[in-house]
Short mmCIF file of all heavy atoms in Angstrom, two decimals:
data_model
loop_
_atom_site.label_atom_id
_atom_site.label_comp_id
_atom_site.label_asym_id
_atom_site.label_seq_id
_atom_site.Cartn_x
_atom_site.Cartn_y
_atom_site.Cartn_z
N MET A 1 1.65 -9.49 28.51
CA MET A 1 0.45 -10.31 28.51
C MET A 1 -0.46 -9.93 29.67
O MET A 1 -1.67 -10.14 29.63
CB MET A 1 0.82 -11.80 28.61
CG MET A 1 1.48 -12.36 27.36
SD MET A 1 0.42 -12.30 25.89
CE MET A 1 -0.80 -13.56 26.27
N ARG A 2 0.13 -9.32 30.71
CA ARG A 2 -0.63 -8.96 31.90
C ARG A 2 -0.73 -7.45 32.12
O ARG A 2 -1.43 -7.02 33.04
CB ARG A 2 0.01 -9.61 33.14
CG ARG A 2 -0.15 -11.12 33.20
CD ARG A 2 0.80 -11.76 34.16
NE ARG A 2 2.19 -11.64 33.70
CZ ARG A 2 2.75 -12.44 32.81
NH1 ARG A 2 2.04 -13.43 32.29
NH2 ARG A 2 3.99 -12.27 32.44
N ASN A 3 -0.01 -6.68 31.30
CA ASN A 3 0.04 -5.24 31.54
C ASN A 3 -0.09 -4.46 30.24
O ASN A 3 0.35 -4.91 29.17
CB ASN A 3 1.36 -4.85 32.23
CG ASN A 3 1.47 -5.46 33.61
OD1 ASN A 3 0.80 -5.05 34.54
ND2 ASN A 3 2.33 -6.47 33.75
N ARG A 4 -0.65 -3.27 30.34
CA ARG A 4 -0.77 -2.36 29.20
C ARG A 4 0.38 -1.36 29.24
O ARG A 4 1.04 -1.15 30.26
CB ARG A 4 -2.09 -1.59 29.27
CG ARG A 4 -3.30 -2.45 29.34
CD ARG A 4 -4.56 -1.69 29.70
NE ARG A 4 -4.93 -0.69 28.71
CZ ARG A 4 -6.12 -0.12 28.65
NH1 ARG A 4 -7.06 -0.46 29.53
NH2 ARG A 4 -6.40 0.77 27.73
N GLY A 5 0.61 -0.72 28.10
CA GLY A 5 1.55 0.39 28.06
C GLY A 5 3.01 0.01 28.19
O GLY A 5 3.85 0.83 28.55
N THR A 6 3.36 -1.23 27.89
CA THR A 6 4.77 -1.65 27.94
C THR A 6 5.43 -1.34 26.60
O THR A 6 4.74 -1.11 25.59
CB THR A 6 4.89 -3.15 28.25
OG1 THR A 6 4.45 -3.89 27.11
CG2 THR A 6 4.06 -3.54 29.47
N PRO A 7 6.77 -1.34 26.53
CA PRO A 7 7.45 -0.96 25.29
C PRO A 7 7.45 -2.01 24.19
O PRO A 7 8.19 -1.88 23.21
CB PRO A 7 8.87 -0.65 25.75
CG PRO A 7 9.07 -1.42 27.00
CD PRO A 7 7.71 -1.46 27.66
N TRP A 8 6.61 -3.03 24.28
CA TRP A 8 6.61 -4.03 23.21
C TRP A 8 6.15 -3.46 21.89
O TRP A 8 6.46 -4.03 20.83
CB TRP A 8 5.76 -5.24 23.61
CG TRP A 8 4.29 -5.17 23.33
CD1 TRP A 8 3.33 -4.71 24.17
CD2 TRP A 8 3.61 -5.57 22.13
NE1 TRP A 8 2.09 -4.79 23.57
CE2 TRP A 8 2.23 -5.32 22.32
CE3 TRP A 8 4.03 -6.11 20.91
CZ2 TRP A 8 1.27 -5.59 21.35
CZ3 TRP A 8 3.07 -6.38 19.93
CH2 TRP A 8 1.72 -6.12 20.15
N THR A 9 5.44 -2.33 21.90
CA THR A 9 4.93 -1.75 20.66
C THR A 9 5.90 -0.73 20.05
O THR A 9 5.51 0.02 19.15
CB THR A 9 3.57 -1.07 20.91
OG1 THR A 9 3.71 -0.10 21.96
CG2 THR A 9 2.53 -2.09 21.32
N ARG A 10 7.13 -0.69 20.51
CA ARG A 10 8.12 0.25 19.98
C ARG A 10 8.95 -0.39 18.87
O ARG A 10 9.07 -1.62 18.79
CB ARG A 10 9.03 0.74 21.11
CG ARG A 10 8.26 1.54 22.16
CD ARG A 10 7.79 2.87 21.61
NE ARG A 10 6.70 3.46 22.39
CZ ARG A 10 6.22 4.68 22.19
NH1 ARG A 10 6.71 5.43 21.21
NH2 ARG A 10 5.22 5.13 22.92
N PRO A 11 9.53 0.43 18.01
CA PRO A 11 10.38 -0.12 16.93
C PRO A 11 11.49 -1.01 17.51
O PRO A 11 12.10 -0.67 18.53
CB PRO A 11 10.96 1.13 16.28
CG PRO A 11 9.96 2.21 16.55
CD PRO A 11 9.43 1.91 17.93
N GLY A 12 11.70 -2.11 16.84
CA GLY A 12 12.69 -3.07 17.32
C GLY A 12 12.10 -4.12 18.24
O GLY A 12 12.70 -5.19 18.42
N ASN A 13 10.96 -3.81 18.86
CA ASN A 13 10.29 -4.75 19.76
C ASN A 13 9.03 -5.34 19.14
O ASN A 13 8.73 -6.53 19.34
CB ASN A 13 9.89 -4.05 21.07
CG ASN A 13 11.09 -3.49 21.82
OD1 ASN A 13 12.21 -3.95 21.62
ND2 ASN A 13 10.86 -2.51 22.68
N LEU A 14 8.28 -4.52 18.42
CA LEU A 14 6.98 -4.95 17.91
C LEU A 14 7.14 -6.04 16.85
O LEU A 14 7.90 -5.88 15.90
CB LEU A 14 6.20 -3.76 17.35
CG LEU A 14 4.75 -4.04 16.96
CD1 LEU A 14 3.87 -2.82 17.24
CD2 LEU A 14 4.60 -4.43 15.48
N VAL A 15 6.40 -7.10 17.03
CA VAL A 15 6.33 -8.18 16.06
C VAL A 15 4.87 -8.32 15.64
O VAL A 15 4.00 -8.52 16.49
CB VAL A 15 6.85 -9.51 16.65
CG1 VAL A 15 6.58 -10.67 15.71
CG2 VAL A 15 8.34 -9.39 16.94
N GLY A 16 4.59 -8.19 14.36
CA GLY A 16 3.23 -8.29 13.85
C GLY A 16 3.10 -9.36 12.80
O GLY A 16 4.08 -9.99 12.40
N ASN A 17 1.88 -9.56 12.34
CA ASN A 17 1.63 -10.53 11.27
C ASN A 17 1.05 -9.87 10.04
O ASN A 17 0.54 -10.55 9.15
CB ASN A 17 0.70 -11.64 11.75
CG ASN A 17 -0.74 -11.16 11.94
OD1 ASN A 17 -0.97 -10.06 12.45
ND2 ASN A 17 -1.72 -11.95 11.52
N GLY A 18 1.12 -8.53 9.97
CA GLY A 18 0.54 -7.79 8.86
C GLY A 18 1.51 -7.59 7.71
O GLY A 18 2.65 -8.05 7.73
N PRO A 19 1.08 -6.85 6.69
CA PRO A 19 1.91 -6.66 5.50
C PRO A 19 3.09 -5.72 5.70
O PRO A 19 3.96 -5.64 4.84
CB PRO A 19 0.93 -6.11 4.46
CG PRO A 19 -0.14 -5.46 5.28
CD PRO A 19 -0.27 -6.29 6.52
N PHE A 20 3.13 -5.01 6.84
CA PHE A 20 4.23 -4.09 7.11
C PHE A 20 4.72 -4.27 8.54
O PHE A 20 4.02 -4.83 9.39
CB PHE A 20 3.77 -2.63 6.90
CG PHE A 20 3.42 -2.32 5.47
CD1 PHE A 20 2.14 -2.56 4.98
CD2 PHE A 20 4.37 -1.80 4.60
CE1 PHE A 20 1.81 -2.30 3.66
CE2 PHE A 20 4.05 -1.53 3.28
CZ PHE A 20 2.77 -1.78 2.81
N THR A 21 5.93 -3.83 8.80
CA THR A 21 6.51 -3.88 10.14
C THR A 21 6.90 -2.47 10.57
O THR A 21 7.14 -1.59 9.74
CB THR A 21 7.75 -4.79 10.18
OG1 THR A 21 8.75 -4.26 9.30
CG2 THR A 21 7.41 -6.19 9.76
N LEU A 22 6.98 -2.26 11.87
CA LEU A 22 7.25 -0.94 12.43
C LEU A 22 8.74 -0.62 12.33
O LEU A 22 9.57 -1.33 12.87
CB LEU A 22 6.79 -0.88 13.88
CG LEU A 22 6.90 0.47 14.59
CD1 LEU A 22 6.01 1.52 13.92
CD2 LEU A 22 6.54 0.32 16.07
N ALA A 23 9.07 0.48 11.65
CA ALA A 23 10.47 0.88 11.47
C ALA A 23 10.83 2.11 12.30
O ALA A 23 11.98 2.25 12.73
CB ALA A 23 10.74 1.17 10.00
N GLU A 24 9.87 3.00 12.52
CA GLU A 24 10.17 4.26 13.22
C GLU A 24 8.91 4.77 13.90
O GLU A 24 7.81 4.66 13.37
CB GLU A 24 10.67 5.31 12.22
CG GLU A 24 10.92 6.69 12.81
CD GLU A 24 11.21 7.76 11.76
OE1 GLU A 24 11.43 7.38 10.59
OE2 GLU A 24 11.17 8.95 12.10
N TRP A 25 9.09 5.30 15.10
CA TRP A 25 8.01 6.03 15.79
C TRP A 25 8.64 7.21 16.50
O TRP A 25 9.16 7.08 17.59
CB TRP A 25 7.27 5.12 16.76
CG TRP A 25 6.09 5.77 17.43
CD1 TRP A 25 5.70 7.08 17.36
CD2 TRP A 25 5.14 5.12 18.29
NE1 TRP A 25 4.56 7.29 18.10
CE2 TRP A 25 4.19 6.12 18.69
CE3 TRP A 25 5.00 3.82 18.76
CZ2 TRP A 25 3.13 5.81 19.55
CZ3 TRP A 25 3.94 3.53 19.61
CH2 TRP A 25 3.03 4.52 19.99
N THR A 26 8.65 8.33 15.83
CA THR A 26 9.15 9.57 16.41
C THR A 26 7.94 10.36 16.89
O THR A 26 7.16 10.86 16.07
CB THR A 26 9.94 10.39 15.38
OG1 THR A 26 11.01 9.57 14.86
CG2 THR A 26 10.51 11.65 16.01
N PRO A 27 7.75 10.49 18.21
CA PRO A 27 6.53 11.12 18.73
C PRO A 27 6.29 12.51 18.14
O PRO A 27 7.21 13.33 18.01
CB PRO A 27 6.79 11.19 20.24
CG PRO A 27 7.71 10.04 20.51
CD PRO A 27 8.60 9.98 19.31
N HIS A 28 5.04 12.73 17.74
CA HIS A 28 4.57 14.00 17.19
C HIS A 28 5.29 14.38 15.89
O HIS A 28 5.27 15.54 15.50
CB HIS A 28 4.71 15.13 18.22
CG HIS A 28 4.03 14.83 19.52
ND1 HIS A 28 2.66 14.85 19.66
CD2 HIS A 28 4.53 14.47 20.74
CE1 HIS A 28 2.35 14.53 20.90
NE2 HIS A 28 3.45 14.30 21.57
N ALA A 29 5.89 13.40 15.24
CA ALA A 29 6.56 13.67 13.97
C ALA A 29 6.14 12.67 12.90
O ALA A 29 5.59 13.05 11.87
CB ALA A 29 8.07 13.66 14.14
N ARG A 30 6.37 11.37 13.14
CA ARG A 30 5.99 10.37 12.15
C ARG A 30 6.03 8.97 12.74
O ARG A 30 6.77 8.70 13.71
CB ARG A 30 6.91 10.43 10.93
CG ARG A 30 8.19 9.61 11.05
CD ARG A 30 9.06 9.73 9.83
NE ARG A 30 9.69 11.03 9.77
CZ ARG A 30 10.00 11.68 8.65
NH1 ARG A 30 9.71 11.13 7.49
NH2 ARG A 30 10.58 12.85 8.68
N VAL A 31 5.24 8.08 12.13
CA VAL A 31 5.35 6.65 12.33
C VAL A 31 5.59 6.05 10.96
O VAL A 31 4.84 6.31 10.02
CB VAL A 31 4.06 6.05 12.95
CG1 VAL A 31 4.15 4.54 13.00
CG2 VAL A 31 3.82 6.62 14.35
N ALA A 32 6.66 5.28 10.83
CA ALA A 32 7.02 4.68 9.54
C ALA A 32 6.96 3.16 9.63
O ALA A 32 7.42 2.57 10.61
CB ALA A 32 8.41 5.12 9.10
N VAL A 33 6.36 2.56 8.62
CA VAL A 33 6.31 1.10 8.52
C VAL A 33 6.93 0.69 7.19
O VAL A 33 6.87 1.43 6.21
CB VAL A 33 4.87 0.57 8.64
CG1 VAL A 33 4.25 1.00 9.96
CG2 VAL A 33 3.99 1.04 7.48
N VAL A 34 7.55 -0.49 7.16
CA VAL A 34 8.19 -0.98 5.94
C VAL A 34 7.63 -2.35 5.59
O VAL A 34 7.09 -3.06 6.44
CB VAL A 34 9.73 -1.06 6.09
CG1 VAL A 34 10.31 0.33 6.31
CG2 VAL A 34 10.11 -1.99 7.24
N LYS A 35 7.76 -2.71 4.34
CA LYS A 35 7.21 -3.96 3.84
C LYS A 35 7.73 -5.15 4.65
O LYS A 35 8.92 -5.27 4.93
CB LYS A 35 7.59 -4.12 2.37
CG LYS A 35 7.05 -5.37 1.70
CD LYS A 35 7.41 -5.39 0.22
CE LYS A 35 6.93 -6.66 -0.47
NZ LYS A 35 7.25 -6.64 -1.92
N ASN A 36 6.83 -6.04 5.01
CA ASN A 36 7.16 -7.25 5.77
C ASN A 36 7.40 -8.40 4.80
O ASN A 36 6.46 -8.92 4.20
CB ASN A 36 6.01 -7.58 6.73
CG ASN A 36 6.23 -8.89 7.48
OD1 ASN A 36 7.32 -9.46 7.47
ND2 ASN A 36 5.18 -9.37 8.13
N PRO A 37 8.65 -8.84 4.62
CA PRO A 37 8.93 -9.91 3.66
C PRO A 37 8.36 -11.26 4.09
O PRO A 37 8.27 -12.18 3.27
CB PRO A 37 10.46 -9.94 3.61
CG PRO A 37 10.89 -9.39 4.93
CD PRO A 37 9.87 -8.37 5.31
N ARG A 38 7.96 -11.37 5.37
CA ARG A 38 7.44 -12.65 5.85
C ARG A 38 5.90 -12.72 5.83
O ARG A 38 5.34 -13.72 6.24
CB ARG A 38 7.95 -12.92 7.27
CG ARG A 38 9.47 -13.13 7.33
CD ARG A 38 9.89 -13.61 8.71
NE ARG A 38 11.29 -13.99 8.74
CZ ARG A 38 12.28 -13.19 9.13
NH1 ARG A 38 12.01 -11.94 9.50
NH2 ARG A 38 13.53 -13.61 9.14
N TYR A 39 5.28 -11.66 5.38
CA TYR A 39 3.81 -11.68 5.24
C TYR A 39 3.44 -12.74 4.21
O TYR A 39 4.12 -12.92 3.20
CB TYR A 39 3.33 -10.30 4.81
CG TYR A 39 1.84 -10.19 4.59
CD1 TYR A 39 0.95 -10.42 5.64
CD2 TYR A 39 1.33 -9.83 3.34
CE1 TYR A 39 -0.42 -10.31 5.44
CE2 TYR A 39 -0.05 -9.72 3.14
CZ TYR A 39 -0.91 -9.96 4.18
OH TYR A 39 -2.27 -9.85 3.99
N TRP A 40 2.32 -13.44 4.46
CA TRP A 40 1.96 -14.59 3.62
C TRP A 40 1.77 -14.21 2.16
O TRP A 40 1.95 -15.05 1.27
CB TRP A 40 0.71 -15.28 4.17
CG TRP A 40 -0.54 -14.45 4.11
CD1 TRP A 40 -1.03 -13.64 5.10
CD2 TRP A 40 -1.46 -14.35 3.02
NE1 TRP A 40 -2.19 -13.03 4.70
CE2 TRP A 40 -2.49 -13.45 3.42
CE3 TRP A 40 -1.52 -14.92 1.74
CZ2 TRP A 40 -3.56 -13.11 2.60
CZ3 TRP A 40 -2.59 -14.58 0.92
CH2 TRP A 40 -3.59 -13.69 1.34
N ASN A 41 1.42 -12.95 1.87
CA ASN A 41 1.22 -12.53 0.49
C ASN A 41 2.13 -11.34 0.16
O ASN A 41 1.74 -10.41 -0.54
CB ASN A 41 -0.24 -12.16 0.26
CG ASN A 41 -0.62 -12.12 -1.21
OD1 ASN A 41 0.03 -12.75 -2.04
ND2 ASN A 41 -1.65 -11.38 -1.54
N ALA A 42 3.36 -11.39 0.66
CA ALA A 42 4.30 -10.28 0.48
C ALA A 42 4.57 -9.98 -0.99
O ALA A 42 4.81 -8.82 -1.36
CB ALA A 42 5.61 -10.58 1.20
N ALA A 43 4.50 -10.99 -1.84
CA ALA A 43 4.79 -10.78 -3.26
C ALA A 43 3.82 -9.81 -3.91
O ALA A 43 4.15 -9.15 -4.90
CB ALA A 43 4.77 -12.12 -3.99
N ALA A 44 2.62 -9.69 -3.33
CA ALA A 44 1.61 -8.80 -3.91
C ALA A 44 1.65 -7.39 -3.31
O ALA A 44 0.96 -6.50 -3.80
CB ALA A 44 0.22 -9.40 -3.72
N THR A 45 2.42 -7.20 -2.25
CA THR A 45 2.53 -5.87 -1.63
C THR A 45 3.45 -5.00 -2.47
O THR A 45 4.63 -5.33 -2.63
CB THR A 45 3.07 -5.99 -0.19
OG1 THR A 45 2.22 -6.87 0.56
CG2 THR A 45 3.12 -4.63 0.48
N GLN A 46 2.93 -3.91 -2.97
CA GLN A 46 3.70 -3.09 -3.90
C GLN A 46 4.44 -1.92 -3.24
O GLN A 46 5.44 -1.45 -3.75
CB GLN A 46 2.78 -2.56 -5.00
CG GLN A 46 2.15 -3.68 -5.83
CD GLN A 46 1.38 -3.16 -7.01
OE1 GLN A 46 1.90 -2.40 -7.83
NE2 GLN A 46 0.12 -3.56 -7.12
#
């Protein structure tokens, strides 16, 4: 809340409110997100 660049945005730490959640972040290779079952309209996410 008071600092930038902390590990809260890493897989296992990041909590979002969007349709997907962070599953993997391999630097210079890939970032993978998976369907968020708690999203308010998850039933429509294909």
Side-chain angles (χ1 to χ4, degrees):
M1 290 298 289
R2 290 163 293 278
N3 296 288
R4 304 168 63 164
T6 71
W8 86 269
T9 56
R10 296 291 161 173
N13 300 337
L14 188 145
V15 171
N17 71 318
F20 295 87
T21 61
L22 185 63
E24 176 189 348
W25 184 354
T26 303
H28 305 287
R30 86 181 73 212
V31 173
V33 301
V34 296
K35 182 176 178 178
N36 175 12
R38 294 189 172 95
Y39 178 61
W40 65 268
N41 198 23
T45 304
Q46 298 187 54

